Amino acid sequence: MDSLVERLVKVVPSERQIKWQQLEFTAFLHYGINSFYDREWGTGKEDISVFHPKNLDTDQWCEALKAAEIKACIITAKHHDGFCLWDTAYTDHSVMHTPFKRDIVAELAKSCKKYGLKFGVYLSPWDRHEESYGKGKEYDDFFCGQLTELLTNYGEIYTVWFDGACGEGKNGKKQIYDWDRYYKVVRSLQPEAVISICGPDVRWCGNEAGECRESEWSVVPASLFSQKYIQEHSQQEDSEEFRQKGLTEQTKDLGSREVVKDTEELIWYPAEVDVSIRPGWFHHDNEDDKVKSLEVLKEIYLQSVGGNSVLLLNIPPHRDGYITEQDRTRLQELGDFIRNDFKDNLMTSNVTATSTDKGTDAKNIVSHDESYWKSEDYIDGCRITVDLGQPKEIKYVVLQEQIRLSQRVESFYVEGELKNGKPKVLYRGTTIGYKRICPIEPIEVSKVHVVFEKFRKSPTLKHMAIY
Ligand code: FUL
């Protein structure tokens, strides 16, 4: 047996990674002093007395997200400018020292609970306001203090999002972050939370355009999350020279056998696609007419959620504290698309497989529970067949591997049996992972075959749906 394959399939997700992956569609909320200064990056020298939203309503934010079928949100509790949206004891540069004087993190946490959304925090390590930034342990103490507040006073936190951005440049301040210490704080206070981006649990997909790789592997070389990598990356030292030294989050192929074959250590490090509904991350009046079209958002959704990634769509509230009508309309439309296109599941329990491992059953893929189908070990060219009973028009086939047994499928195709009995290939794909949505030119078929061409070890399916 190929030892590389054995090593690869041993790499599996943690429980917290599985829970995070199951959220599928999540939201970013970029809000803060930048919303008032019409900026993307603040300097840290802003006059915070201008922070005075007229109509801040976090329930309204949650309603807008729910309309789009979003399951969780992350607030920029502190962006690079250092302005804090919560009642912190560590600095006066916070919302409590503005005329507004309301703890926005607390209000949003409460609204999320009310609307059944998971709640996460973005805390920028790069802080342009804090005087101790660049002074080593002094700043680490400050940062861990802030983290502790956020992870203690606001209920359950599903993710802590550590941004790697730093614009200090060569002659700027240099803070060597004590990442291990930060991670210990998160693990001890919120053990279920995933630590994203500059953290061990969730990987940045490598762009902010909403683009996913055709083959998005969750099993990747551990070097993508080495201390050295995170440190250099968070100092923006990932220059051309840095990139040439090895794999980065931007590398096109992170997980094929060819790429990982000489890799000593492998990790489960799934991708997150973060993209804004508008050109900027923060709200700007002059971008109100630049909200992405429904067509673009649909495409992003199908590619990311349907491409083994979690989608993190940014919706920036207006400075006055609400999500604008333009964005709400689009979120409603996107939600309607998801509800309508994935409503009538045509999957039947008439499912058979050319090969089935003992203890599993092809019928298991109909249900959403943990049961699954697995082909017998080392059988090539196996397929799953779903008999629809009579010809029906189909538009999507959705496949999900049982990722508790790792990510195994390297290539597959979907074939339909036409009314005249002839087979037709409807979709060709590479990886599946947690979820692959296969869009199909609408066509009437009486049977659907999923043919597994290449896989690391006997393929698995936990769930399948046909729409
Ligand atoms: C980047 C930041 O610099 C942007 O302002 C934004 O927060 C984005 C999500 O991450 O690194």
Side-chain angles (χ1 to χ4, degrees), residues 28 30 40-41 79-80 122 161 163-165 208 274 281-282:
F28 232 159
H30 274 68
E40 281 293 305
W41 275 12
H79 204 252
H80 311 323
Y122 165 113
W161 216 91
D163 196 336
E208 293 179 342
D274 64 328
W281 290 100
F282 286 88

Side-chain angles (χ1 to χ4, degrees), residues 60 278 291 322-331:
Q60 192 256 11
R278 289 156 170 260
V291 175
Y322 55 85
I323 292 178
T324 64
E325 203 189 319
Q326 292 86 339
D327 308 69
R328 275 192 288 127
T329 304
R330 203 61 91 242
L331 291 173

